[in-house]
Amino acid sequence: MRDSQNILDAWGAYSDEHTDLDGWPHDDHTYGIRKSQRDADTAEAFETLRYGARHLLATAETQLTRLPENAAQSRWVYQLGVLHTALDRLDELHEQWLLTLDTLPASAKPGTPDHDNALAEYHGESWSYLDDWATHGKAIREINTAAHKAPSPLAPTPALAPAQRNATRK
């Protein structure tokens, strides 16, 4: 998630520098190439998280339900919902990508226009959902941190130590 945020930050800086005040690119072709690279980099950064993402969400949801009310942020429920929706859509797009791969000619290997254009389209369609993970994924860490800091209902509240008597008498 940090890598995705770094990619997003770098894209923001690039976009600010290479667009006019209305947001139009100075050079459409170069901007498009850089945008496609952003999409591919973001997809690659998410791959390390993809297969554990549902488990992370389930864990965060369980932790959230067990947090004391004063330890939870109201935005976390919304953010977990955004992450679920994004992950569902990413899974759908991945299935579509696999079908697309099956329909490409046998000569369409990585590095060929047929393959690379289809891959760029897949990454482009996935990017906004990957951006949701880059933007809202930190909620999972925040919930985990809050859960570890919250008192456990299983752990007894420590009793105050009795006041020690002064062993020496005057």
Side-chain angles (χ1 to χ4, degrees), residues 28 31-32 47 51 54 57 60 70 73 89 93 96 101 110 115 121 137 139-140 160:
D28 286 336
Y31 190 85
E47 280 305 307
Y51 298 103
R54 291 218 184 270
L57 284 171
N70 64 346
Q73 298 286 322
R89 189 65 183 124
L93 290 169
Q96 289 175 8
L101 278 177
H115 179 275
E121 185 176 331
I140 293 172
L160 296 175

Side-chain angles (χ1 to χ4, degrees), residues 36-97:
S36 186
Q37 186 62 51
R38 173 208 64 185
D39 298 347
D41 291 346
T42 306
E44 183 180 335
F46 186 72
E47 280 305 307
T48 59
L49 185 64
R50 174 184 296 282
Y51 298 103
R54 291 218 184 270
H55 178 71
L56 288 171
L57 284 171
T59 301
E61 287 171 338
T62 300
Q63 289 174 321
L64 188 56
T65 63
R66 295 181 180 165
L67 281 175
E69 229 176 271
N70 64 346
Q73 298 286 322
S74 58
R75 64 182 163 80
W76 288 342
V77 172
Y78 166 77
Q79 288 176 298
L80 291 179
V82 168
L83 295 173
H84 262 294
T85 300
L87 188 56
D88 289 345
R89 189 65 183 124
L90 286 167
D91 286 346
E92 291 169 14
L93 290 169
H94 185 72
E95 289 301 316
Q96 289 175 8
W97 166 242

Side-chain angles (χ1 to χ4, degrees), residues 8-165:
L8 181 60
D9 292 344
W11 170 253
Y14 175 87
S15 185
D16 288 348
E17 186 176 326
H18 293 90
T19 57
D20 64 22
L21 295 176
D22 294 325
W24 293 100
H26 299 301
D27 178 349
D28 286 336
H29 178 73
T30 303
Y31 190 85
I33 290 171
R34 178 62 181 86
K35 184 177 177 184
S36 186
Q37 186 62 51
R38 173 208 64 185
D39 298 347
D41 291 346
T42 306
E44 183 180 335
F46 186 72
E47 280 305 307
T48 59
L49 185 64
R50 174 184 296 282
Y51 298 103
R54 291 218 184 270
H55 178 71
L56 288 171
L57 284 171
T59 301
E61 287 171 338
T62 300
Q63 289 174 321
L64 188 56
T65 63
R66 295 181 180 165
L67 281 175
E69 229 176 271
N70 64 346
Q73 298 286 322
S74 58
R75 64 182 163 80
W76 288 342
V77 172
Y78 166 77
Q79 288 176 298
L80 291 179
V82 168
L83 295 173
H84 262 294
T85 300
L87 188 56
D88 289 345
R89 189 65 183 124
L90 286 167
D91 286 346
E92 291 169 14
L93 290 169
H94 185 72
E95 289 301 316
Q96 289 175 8
W97 166 242
L98 295 176
L99 292 173
T100 298
L101 278 177
D102 288 342
T103 64
L104 291 176
S107 61
K109 304 289 184 210
T112 64
D114 284 342
H115 179 275
D116 292 354
N117 290 340
L119 182 60
E121 185 176 331
Y122 163 61
H123 286 156
E125 291 173 355
S126 301
W127 188 81
S128 68
Y129 305 107
L130 295 169
D131 181 51
D132 286 342
W133 270 84
T135 303
H136 297 289
K138 64 184 175 210
I140 293 172
R141 277 195 314 270
E142 292 170 351
I143 292 167
N144 188 53
T145 299
H148 285 286
K149 289 182 179 179
S152 169
L154 301 176
T157 305
L160 296 175
Q164 290 186 351
R165 292 187 181 185

